Amino acid sequence: MSQRGMRGPSADRLRRLRWWLTVLFTATNTVALIVLAPVIIILDAQRGADRIDHDLSVVTQPVLRLIDDNHGALVYARVPADPLASDCPDFAVMPGKPSDFTPLFSTRGCTRVDTKLLADLAAESVRNGAPLSADRKAVNGHQIRVAVEPFKDSNGHYFGAVLAWQDTQKQQEQHRQLTIAVLVVCAILIGAAALISYWLSGRAIRPAMAALEQQETLLAETAHDLRTPVAALRALAETAQRDPEQRAELLPRTVRLAGRMGDIIDGLLVRARLAAGVEHLAMQPVWLDQLVAGVVEDMPTGDARFSLVTAPTMVRADPTLLRRAIGNVLGNAMRHGRVPGADLAIITVTVADGRVTVADQGPGIDPTVGADLFEPYTTGGASTGLGLSIVRWVVLAHGGDLKVYNADEGGAIFEIQLPTVQ
């Protein structure tokens, strides 16, 4: 269904509803992603920090076990001999005060750090009597993480600390890449949510749009189909009013036209119900030649002259809808099938073998109209808006075929082929 073909305030409200649903669904997903993305980023940063802290504790704890206190003298002779002293990350054994003992550093020298920075951290840990972790800058400007573990002398006083540090530049770069990836994925998901919500909201309102389109089509077809019989009914009434002597002759035609108008209204209602899938065609054997002859007889002939040639042919059809389709084709020929400048439209109608052919002497079919000729509201050449679209629907609903082409001598030819009854 093309929503661009829908008109009116009701259709506009449905379109606005679709956009509101899209905005609401997208906003909900955006809020969820805005909450989720920082959580992922923070958890990754915390995980990286925990991993580094674990790697540093693997160094500080063994060094603490290698250190001994002998009556106020620090013994760490075993520390340089341990493989820890030549591996990364770096570590140092620092006093709480410069006079306590001489600092000891690992021999690898993976990341150079200012000695004063380490001494300040060791003094802070000894002063507080608690381990600490801190992020600082190395000599090369890289971010490092320092773990500090204080230790006591034989009197139970904190007087030194083991420090281990590691360059976190690589971990920070990985965290930065993950942050960018999370933001990009969130942007893609928000865009996908907008597209999906637009599609889902369109499917959600599609039944309402279909019902609205059927309602508008029903109103338009009613106005279109009743225009000709109402005009003819008015002409008969005015003639009978002016000339009482013709009333006896005109009254039966008036009754037939009134009945035809009722049939048209019934057909339109059936058409709407069929389109909605709640009713089936009232198929029955129909003499096609007699039905066409009746439609021709009921057509107002003030501006047209019909030539009817028929042969008996029976088809299975819904007579009300088929009569309506034939009337639309004839009405179209009356409006567009006259020679330019002529007063009358000369129309030849032929019925045989389940085929109804309507030929006129008008300008023919505009080649630029093409396949749009039978589309609703198309006007051009031999198209009259809704009439021919109704014809196509009726013919296809009966399993038939509809063709239109220009005659060699000029004029348009409409051909309706219906399955015959043997």
Side-chain angles (χ1 to χ4, degrees):
M1 181 199 315
S2 176
Q3 294 184 6
R4 291 181 299 176
M6 300 293 293
R7 297 181 294 275
S10 298
D12 292 338
R13 284 195 295 271
L14 285 175
R15 292 191 188 94
R16 286 195 296 270
L17 175 61
R18 181 178 189 179
W19 282 110
W20 276 113
L21 291 174
T22 301
V23 170
L24 179 61
F25 187 81
T26 304
T28 303
N29 283 273
T30 301
V31 171
L33 290 173
I34 290 176
V35 173
L36 181 62
V39 172
I40 294 175
I41 294 173
I42 293 172
L43 288 177
D44 180 75
Q46 185 62 46
R47 184 178 61 85
D50 291 343
R51 185 172 63 249
I52 293 176
D53 287 341
H54 174 268
D55 294 341
L56 295 177
S57 68
V58 170
V59 176
T60 58
Q61 295 301 321
V63 172
L64 283 173
R65 289 192 293 269
L66 293 173
I67 296 174
D68 192 13
D69 174 69
N70 186 13
H71 303 293
L74 189 66
V75 180
Y76 45 60
R78 292 175 296 177
V79 175
D82 194 277
L84 287 170
S86 59
D87 292 338
C88 293
D90 294 313
F91 69 89
V93 181
M94 303 290 292
K97 293 183 293 185
S99 60
D100 288 343
F101 60 87
T102 303
L104 173 68
F105 294 91
S106 61
T107 60
R108 179 68 181 270
C110 302
T111 305
R112 291 183 57 195
V113 181
D114 183 42
T115 303
K116 185 178 183 305
L117 182 150
L118 297 177
D120 291 342
L121 289 175
E124 180 182 351
S125 178
V126 169
R127 184 170 58 252
N128 296 331
L132 63 86
S133 297
D135 294 316
R136 296 292 188 269
K137 291 282 188 180
V139 174
N140 61 4
H142 285 190
Q143 190 84 10
I144 61 171
R145 188 164 181 84
V146 184
V148 186
E149 290 282 351
F151 56 86
K152 300 176 182 179
D153 58 15
S154 58
N155 297 322
H157 299 131
Y158 286 102
F159 76 109
V162 176
L163 302 92
W165 60 92
Q166 181 173 318
D167 191 328
T168 61
Q169 189 75 12
K170 181 178 179 181
Q171 186 272 337
Q172 287 183 342
E173 182 61 30
Q174 292 175 346
H175 178 67
R176 190 178 302 110
Q177 292 176 356
L178 180 132
T179 301
I180 295 174
V182 168
L183 295 177
V184 171
V185 170
C186 287
I188 294 174
L189 289 177
I190 290 173
L195 294 176
I196 293 173
S197 60
Y198 184 78
W199 177 72
L200 289 176
S201 59
R203 289 183 62 88
I205 67 172
R206 185 175 297 174
M209 295 292 286
L212 181 59
E213 183 179 29
Q214 290 177 8
Q215 178 183 353
E216 291 184 352
T217 301
L218 178 62
L219 293 175
E221 291 181 355
T222 302
H224 175 273
D225 282 358
L226 291 181
R227 185 181 301 114
T228 299
V230 166
L233 189 61
R234 180 177 180 178
L236 289 174
E238 291 175 349
T239 302
Q241 184 179 17
R242 290 194 306 267
D243 189 355
E245 295 181 358
Q246 297 188 38
R247 290 179 183 175
E249 177 185 353
L250 297 177
L251 185 59
R253 295 180 60 186
T254 303
V255 172
R256 286 199 303 272
L257 276 176
R260 182 187 171 198
M261 292 171 64
D263 291 341
I264 289 174
I265 294 174
D266 291 340
L268 287 169
L269 294 176
V270 171
R271 163 72 172 89
R273 292 176 62 83
L274 288 171
V278 296
E279 191 166 319
H280 300 285
L281 291 172
M283 303 292 284
Q284 62 188 62
V286 175
W287 287 105
L288 183 60
D289 54 307
Q290 297 178 10
L291 183 144
V292 174
V295 175
V296 171
E297 182 180 357
D298 290 338
M299 296 297 294
T301 57
D303 296 331
R305 188 173 67 198
F306 290 94
S307 174
L308 178 62
V309 179
T310 65
T313 177
M314 180 175 288
V315 297
R316 284 189 59 81
D318 184 317
T320 301
L321 293 180
L322 185 58
R323 188 179 295 111
R324 176 184 172 199
I326 300 298
N328 284 351
V329 174
L330 296 179
N332 180 75
M334 290 174 60
R335 286 185 294 273
H336 304 281
R338 69 183 63 189
V339 177
D343 295 331
L344 293 176
I346 307 301
I347 302 169
T348 302
V349 182
T350 306
V351 182
D353 298 327
R355 182 183 294 107
V356 180
T357 303
V358 179
D360 60 50
Q361 297 181 359
I365 305 300
D366 185 354
T368 61
V369 175
D372 295 334
L373 180 64
F374 298 102
E375 292 298 324
Y377 308 108
T378 300
T379 301
S383 177
T384 58
L386 275 172
L388 294 182
S389 69
I390 298 172
V391 174
R392 179 180 65 177
W393 183 89
V394 172
V395 172
L396 294 180
H398 284 78
D401 186 29
L402 175 62
K403 297 179 182 178
V404 58
Y405 50 90
N406 290 325
D408 295 337
E409 63 277 10
I413 298 177
F414 286 81
E415 185 178 290
I416 298 174
Q417 178 68 58
L418 298 174
T420 59
V421 176
Q422 301 297 332

